[in-house]
Amino acid sequence: MHKFKYSKYIQILMSVTASMMVVAPSIALAATPPPTKAAAPPPNPTYGQALEIAPPVIYLTVNPGETKKTQIFLRDISSGDLIVTGEANDFTAAGDDGTPKILLGDEAANNPYSMKKWVVAPASLNLVPREMKTMAITINVPATASPGGHYGIIRFTATPPSLKK
Amino acid sequence: MTLRGKTDALFKLGLIALAIVYFSIFLSSNASAAQITSRSLTLEQGAGGDGGSKPGGTVKHKFDFTIPSNTTLGSIKFQYCTTASGTCSPVSGLTTTGSVTLSNQSGLTGFSLDNTTNGSPFIHRTAAAPGGANTAVSYELSGVVNPSTTNQTFYVRITTYSSEDVTTGATDTGTVAASTATQITLTGTMPESLIFCTGGAISLTSGIPDCSTATSGSITFNQLFSPADTAVAKSQMAASTNADFGYSITYTGATLTSGSNTVTAMTSATTSVRGTRQFGMNLTLNDGTAYTNAPNVTGSANIAPTSNGTNYRGQALTGYDTAGTFKFNAAGDSIANSANGGAGPTDVQLYTASYIANVSGGQPIGTYTTTLTYICTATF
């Protein structure tokens, strides 16, 4: 009787996420004055969100029950401080051109190639301009993981500290 | 005259004769063996990449000098020694035989290399010809193996000959010195990386989009919403990657919202129409031209630098890439990628997103906002 283990091929894409707030001029504020006791909102930062990540694609071969560690280099390329957080998601192909479609919410529920839950939520990092730090990524492959390819994406969001308060 | 007297006379004559001969030789020596001037030896990088002064490296030795005499020149010898003068001792590890070639010559040309004697190569020409007074020449020997010792100073005695085989007629001489040296090795690593930034504006530094100049991502429309005119706003983003299959940029976000009221998203690419309810975006080619039905939409510049299908591959995607049309998909959409000329790595390029908001006269009052999230991902 032969005993063998399945090897799994997993692919992790990295992405940089940045948000834009588009707002209309304050026509409504003139008609509806804000409450007088409301706390003043934090000032908007004067700089944008800019991040460099390396590598943007990771391929790993893992075995059921194995814990795999890897790392991502993150550099703040903006002109101000940034807090970087990472969030794992699954993805599938958006077409046949290699564009990933990130699976959010219910879309990921029955995804046979899912690995989102295998990824330990990465700790956030504080970066100053030009600083590069390493973010550790830990992947716990379940002993019951199905063989074949699994695909995940880790989205890194860089936020100025003033918008985190 | 006594015998002694005769002897003395002969001796004196002998002395005079010797003196004349010696003087003659001395004059002759001064006239023919002039000093080669403006001489130098440059150790240059070899074809295999060895640094010019690398100990044991296979490199090029380039000799530059000026030949002073206008006498017949048939050959030139380059004798490698451990000292500048005196007995010539061979330089350890030096090889001037085998595959060493005369790879360049100028000034006086037509020479061939004879490399049969290690440490003493010479160049010669089939028919000796006048050297030409004060002629600057240059000869480059390729494939020379440097002395094997680090920081080894060695000397090359250069001698010109009227003969074509460096056997007779030595004319001008000069010595140059050189040394091997400890190599300085620089190593740098370019990782696979992805760069992405957004902001209200991103400036170019020396023509290159510079993410460190990105301004705040909180932007405001240019005017109060009005059914009589189109409100516009702009933001910019820049991206680059050296990943094999390039990048893709998508966005997510709701349409402009104020409480329970919204400005209707332009779900397909259409033109701006004042007095209707529209919110949409465009990613390129709004180059300042005002459009007939949206006179305030003077929008954005094209993608910069311009894509060329090689090192610049950025492109806006269908639905967002036509001047004067706008679209917004609340479920998210792909708006750009680096597939101009085929998906692949690309240098950094700047995109400008133009947003428009049209309202009808009955649009409920309020401050309408949306937060758009742009996601730049390596493709696979």
mmCIF file of all heavy atoms in Angstrom, chain B residues 44-52 54 56-60 99 142-144 183:
data_model
loop_
_atom_site.group_PDB
_atom_site.id
_atom_site.type_symbol
_atom_site.label_atom_id
_atom_site.label_comp_id
_atom_site.label_asym_id
_atom_site.label_seq_id
_atom_site.Cartn_x
_atom_site.Cartn_y
_atom_site.Cartn_z
ATOM 1 N N GLU B 44 42.095 48.413 -19.157
ATOM 2 C CA GLU B 44 40.668 48.536 -19.458
ATOM 3 C C GLU B 44 39.953 47.207 -19.277
ATOM 4 O O GLU B 44 40.552 46.141 -19.360
ATOM 5 C CB GLU B 44 40.484 49.031 -20.903
ATOM 6 C CG GLU B 44 41.076 50.403 -21.135
ATOM 7 C CD GLU B 44 40.831 50.902 -22.555
ATOM 8 O OE1 GLU B 44 40.680 50.054 -23.456
ATOM 9 O OE2 GLU B 44 40.798 52.124 -22.744
ATOM 10 N N GLN B 45 38.645 47.341 -19.058
ATOM 11 C CA GLN B 45 37.811 46.159 -18.849
ATOM 12 C C GLN B 45 37.909 45.208 -20.033
ATOM 13 O O GLN B 45 37.869 45.622 -21.196
ATOM 14 C CB GLN B 45 36.357 46.572 -18.658
ATOM 15 C CG GLN B 45 35.417 45.410 -18.333
ATOM 16 C CD GLN B 45 33.987 45.862 -18.186
ATOM 17 O OE1 GLN B 45 33.496 46.644 -18.989
ATOM 18 N NE2 GLN B 45 33.319 45.389 -17.155
ATOM 19 N N GLY B 46 38.031 43.919 -19.716
ATOM 20 C CA GLY B 46 38.128 42.927 -20.773
ATOM 21 C C GLY B 46 36.776 42.546 -21.330
ATOM 22 O O GLY B 46 35.727 42.907 -20.778
ATOM 23 N N ALA B 47 36.817 41.787 -22.416
ATOM 24 C CA ALA B 47 35.570 41.392 -23.079
ATOM 25 C C ALA B 47 34.711 40.543 -22.166
ATOM 26 O O ALA B 47 33.482 40.549 -22.271
ATOM 27 C CB ALA B 47 35.891 40.640 -24.364
ATOM 28 N N GLY B 48 35.323 39.811 -21.264
ATOM 29 C CA GLY B 48 34.557 38.965 -20.354
ATOM 30 C C GLY B 48 34.034 39.686 -19.139
ATOM 31 O O GLY B 48 33.397 39.080 -18.284
ATOM 32 N N GLY B 49 34.331 40.974 -19.039
ATOM 33 C CA GLY B 49 33.803 41.760 -17.933
ATOM 34 C C GLY B 49 34.778 41.981 -16.791
ATOM 35 O O GLY B 49 34.458 42.683 -15.836
ATOM 36 N N ASP B 50 35.968 41.385 -16.875
ATOM 37 C CA ASP B 50 36.943 41.620 -15.805
ATOM 38 C C ASP B 50 37.345 43.089 -15.782
ATOM 39 O O ASP B 50 37.600 43.693 -16.832
ATOM 40 C CB ASP B 50 38.191 40.767 -16.023
ATOM 41 C CG ASP B 50 37.955 39.307 -15.691
ATOM 42 O OD1 ASP B 50 36.924 39.011 -15.062
ATOM 43 O OD2 ASP B 50 38.794 38.475 -16.067
ATOM 44 N N GLY B 51 37.407 43.655 -14.576
ATOM 45 C CA GLY B 51 37.853 45.028 -14.433
ATOM 46 C C GLY B 51 39.297 45.160 -14.865
ATOM 47 O O GLY B 51 40.096 44.217 -14.746
ATOM 48 N N GLY B 52 39.669 46.327 -15.390
ATOM 49 C CA GLY B 52 40.978 46.504 -15.983
ATOM 50 C C GLY B 52 42.136 46.205 -15.064
ATOM 51 O O GLY B 52 43.176 45.715 -15.506
ATOM 52 N N LYS B 54 42.002 44.178 -12.411
ATOM 53 C CA LYS B 54 41.750 42.961 -11.633
ATOM 54 C C LYS B 54 42.964 42.040 -11.681
ATOM 55 O O LYS B 54 43.447 41.692 -12.764
ATOM 56 C CB LYS B 54 40.539 42.233 -12.198
ATOM 57 C CG LYS B 54 40.217 40.943 -11.458
ATOM 58 C CD LYS B 54 39.041 40.227 -12.108
ATOM 59 C CE LYS B 54 38.754 38.929 -11.384
ATOM 60 N NZ LYS B 54 37.606 38.225 -12.009
ATOM 61 N N GLY B 56 44.965 38.964 -12.197
ATOM 62 C CA GLY B 56 44.656 37.746 -12.933
ATOM 63 C C GLY B 56 43.531 37.908 -13.932
ATOM 64 O O GLY B 56 43.148 36.936 -14.596
ATOM 65 N N GLY B 57 43.004 39.122 -14.057
ATOM 66 C CA GLY B 57 41.887 39.356 -14.978
ATOM 67 C C GLY B 57 42.349 39.376 -16.429
ATOM 68 O O GLY B 57 43.470 39.765 -16.726
ATOM 69 N N THR B 58 41.466 38.935 -17.307
ATOM 70 C CA THR B 58 41.762 38.996 -18.748
ATOM 71 C C THR B 58 41.221 40.321 -19.259
ATOM 72 O O THR B 58 40.006 40.520 -19.328
ATOM 73 C CB THR B 58 41.106 37.817 -19.475
ATOM 74 O OG1 THR B 58 41.605 36.599 -18.898
ATOM 75 C CG2 THR B 58 41.440 37.847 -20.958
ATOM 76 N N VAL B 59 42.106 41.217 -19.584
ATOM 77 C CA VAL B 59 41.730 42.616 -19.794
ATOM 78 C C VAL B 59 42.426 43.181 -21.041
ATOM 79 O O VAL B 59 43.099 42.467 -21.777
ATOM 80 C CB VAL B 59 42.108 43.463 -18.550
ATOM 81 C CG1 VAL B 59 41.398 42.929 -17.306
ATOM 82 C CG2 VAL B 59 43.626 43.465 -18.342
ATOM 83 N N LYS B 60 42.237 44.477 -21.205
ATOM 84 C CA LYS B 60 42.892 45.168 -22.305
ATOM 85 C C LYS B 60 43.972 46.099 -21.746
ATOM 86 O O LYS B 60 43.748 46.755 -20.730
ATOM 87 C CB LYS B 60 41.878 45.995 -23.102
ATOM 88 C CG LYS B 60 40.786 45.177 -23.771
ATOM 89 C CD LYS B 60 39.767 46.091 -24.428
ATOM 90 C CE LYS B 60 38.634 45.290 -25.053
ATOM 91 N NZ LYS B 60 37.565 46.164 -25.603
ATOM 92 N N SER B 99 45.961 34.044 -26.815
ATOM 93 C CA SER B 99 44.857 34.732 -27.500
ATOM 94 C C SER B 99 44.969 36.253 -27.458
ATOM 95 O O SER B 99 44.024 36.955 -27.788
ATOM 96 C CB SER B 99 43.524 34.305 -26.873
ATOM 97 O OG SER B 99 43.524 34.599 -25.495
ATOM 98 N N SER B 142 44.389 43.247 -26.466
ATOM 99 C CA SER B 142 43.260 42.604 -25.798
ATOM 100 C C SER B 142 43.624 41.181 -25.418
ATOM 101 O O SER B 142 44.413 40.533 -26.109
ATOM 102 C CB SER B 142 42.029 42.578 -26.713
ATOM 103 O OG SER B 142 41.543 43.877 -26.902
ATOM 104 N N GLY B 143 43.015 40.725 -24.327
ATOM 105 C CA GLY B 143 43.234 39.349 -23.893
ATOM 106 C C GLY B 143 44.458 39.169 -23.032
ATOM 107 O O GLY B 143 44.864 38.042 -22.750
ATOM 108 N N VAL B 144 45.036 40.282 -22.580
ATOM 109 C CA VAL B 144 46.194 40.181 -21.690
ATOM 110 C C VAL B 144 45.714 39.722 -20.313
ATOM 111 O O VAL B 144 44.716 40.219 -19.799
ATOM 112 C CB VAL B 144 46.898 41.548 -21.557
ATOM 113 C CG1 VAL B 144 48.036 41.473 -20.548
ATOM 114 C CG2 VAL B 144 47.401 42.017 -22.915
ATOM 115 N N GLN B 183 39.752 44.739 -6.188
ATOM 116 C CA GLN B 183 38.512 45.057 -6.887
ATOM 117 C C GLN B 183 37.443 45.512 -5.907
ATOM 118 O O GLN B 183 37.320 44.989 -4.805
ATOM 119 C CB GLN B 183 38.012 43.839 -7.656
ATOM 120 C CG GLN B 183 38.982 43.366 -8.722
ATOM 121 C CD GLN B 183 39.100 44.359 -9.875
ATOM 122 O OE1 GLN B 183 38.178 44.543 -10.635
ATOM 123 N NE2 GLN B 183 40.244 45.004 -9.974
#
